[in-house]
Amino acid sequence: MTSPLRPQVIALYKQLVYLGREYPAGYNNFFRPKLKSAFLKKKDLKSEEEIKKSIAFGEYIIKELEMMYYLRKYRTLRKRYGTDHV
């Protein structure tokens, strides 16, 4: 891995680990092993372009996780305080 992109990759990994703590299928049994295997698959990338492409995909996954959590929160609040049709 090229050194200028290494901090970005590490920050991406840390952010994904942080977001994965609340993953519905479980953190220790599902999310963390999948995340680790995904990063280990890409550890041999050498070209800067391929690494940037992988970082962009990781950022897309972060956005998807955040939206999933927002949707779950929205559904819970709507169920709790939903509008009653009279």
Side-chain angles (χ1 to χ4, degrees):
M1 185 182 323
T2 59
S3 53
L5 295 175
R6 183 175 169 81
Q8 285 181 324
V9 172
I10 292 171
L12 179 70
Y13 186 80
K14 285 181 180 181
Q15 194 171 9
L16 283 166
V17 165
Y18 178 77
L19 287 173
R21 293 179 308 153
E22 296 180 26
Y23 196 74
Y27 175 70
N28 288 327
N29 299 329
F30 182 78
F31 189 84
R32 190 163 183 242
K34 294 275 187 180
L35 179 65
K36 186 176 180 178
S37 68
F39 271 78
L40 286 176
K41 272 192 236 175
K42 303 283 185 167
K43 75 176 184 174
D44 295 326
L45 292 179
K46 300 293 181 198
S47 99
E48 192 171 314
E49 183 179 315
E50 289 296 320
I51 295 171
K52 285 182 181 180
K53 224 185 265 187
S54 296
I55 290 172
F57 182 71
E59 290 169 352
Y60 168 76
I61 296 297
I62 286 173
K63 289 177 186 173
E64 288 292 316
L65 282 171
E66 287 174 344
M67 290 311 300
M68 183 180 67
Y69 295 153
Y70 290 145
L71 184 60
R72 183 176 66 182
K73 185 177 178 180
Y74 170 76
R75 285 180 178 164
T76 303
L77 289 174
R78 184 163 181 181
K79 210 182 288 183
R80 210 176 279 165
Y81 304 110
T83 59
D84 293 329
H85 296 288
V86 178

